[in-house]
Amino acid sequence: MPGKKKFAVAILTGLLAAAAWLVPTARAEKREIDVAHSVMKVHVYKTGLFSGFAHDHEISAPIARGTVDDSANPIVELAVESGKLQVEDPGVSDKDRAQIQQTMQGPQVLDSVQYPEIRFRSTRVQPAGNDRWTIDGDLSLHGQTHSVQVTVTKKDGKYEGSAVFKQRAFGITPVSVAGGAVKVKDEVKIEFQIVLAQ
């Protein structure tokens, strides 16, 4: 009888050990971002004395790759190729749009040749209500890395959110023309809608 009891205890101990190993593995699910169905936009706003003669900029920023590690300590990572950011600016001429695109990609702003990638990696994810989170993370842009905060909401299976940062924090001087009478604001807003791969 004592032998059977020891045998039963050994089996129970083994099962508990296996469960302790399997549960974290099951919870830690690293999923790819579906880059084909995810959207990211950058909004740059005008300011200055004659800003009424200028216009805000809308820029598409296709996500190159990314993952979401949905575990006890979630980690979100994504990357964007700076050279693939595209000025959309509806309502402006093709010539003006091309000029804005060239300025954005050039050494005055993104300097996409020297800094070809923009990256984000979360450092903390906090619940902020039902299907809502506040995410702190490191944004690497223009050769510098600084902390930013992102608000995220899950809606219809998609993760929607936004973040705001200042260009000067990353060593970028906001574009200014006509002696500063027309310029863009230091503050830039990013909006996104992310879908995870099935």
Side-chain angles (χ1 to χ4, degrees):
M1 197 65 145
K4 288 184 178 179
K5 188 175 181 181
K6 286 182 180 179
F7 183 71
V9 170
I11 290 177
L12 182 60
T13 303
L15 288 173
L16 288 173
W21 182 79
L22 286 171
V23 170
T25 303
R27 291 179 64 192
E29 183 182 1
K30 194 169 187 178
R31 298 178 63 186
E32 300 286 332
I33 291 175
D34 183 348
V35 297
H37 296 95
S38 298
V39 178
M40 185 177 291
K41 298 280 186 182
V42 180
H43 300 276
V44 184
Y45 302 103
K46 63 186 179 181
T47 186
L49 183 62
F50 296 114
S51 60
F53 298 99
H55 55 274
D56 297 333
H57 301 301
E58 184 175 304
I59 301 156
S60 66
I63 299 171
R65 63 185 182 281
T67 57
V68 175
D69 185 353
D70 186 13
S71 63
N73 297 301
I75 297 175
V76 179
E77 294 182 285
L78 62 84
V80 173
E81 295 175 17
S82 58
K84 292 190 176 179
L85 268 69
Q86 188 68 42
V87 175
E88 296 185 338
D89 288 8
V92 304
S93 68
D94 292 343
K95 181 181 178 181
D96 287 346
R97 192 180 299 108
Q99 180 60 53
I100 296 166
Q101 177 77 26
Q102 184 178 352
T103 301
M104 178 186 70
Q105 295 290 353
Q108 190 176 357
V109 184
L110 291 177
D111 200 355
S112 56
V113 172
Q114 186 171 352
Y115 307 110
E117 194 167 73
I118 300 166
R119 296 186 307 278
F120 175 82
R121 179 182 170 85
S122 65
T123 54
R124 182 173 63 170
V125 178
Q126 292 182 297
N130 189 32
D131 286 337
R132 291 177 60 85
W133 301 267
T134 299
I135 301 176
D136 295 307
D138 292 329
L139 176 64
S140 298
L141 166 68
H142 197 250
Q144 298 191 29
T145 300
H146 296 286
S147 297
V148 297
Q149 190 171 83
V150 185
T151 57
V152 181
T153 302
K154 188 177 181 181
K155 185 177 179 182
D156 299 328
K158 299 175 182 178
Y159 294 89
E160 300 177 350
S162 63
V164 173
F165 68 90
K166 292 187 175 181
Q167 298 179 71
R168 291 185 188 278
F170 293 87
I172 300 172
T173 301
V175 174
S176 175
V177 296
V182 179
K183 55 186 177 181
V184 300
K185 290 183 178 180
D186 190 11
E187 193 172 83
V188 171
K189 184 177 183 180
I190 297 174
E191 294 181 321
F192 58 84
Q193 188 178 81
I194 289 176
V195 179
L196 298 183
Q198 298 298 317

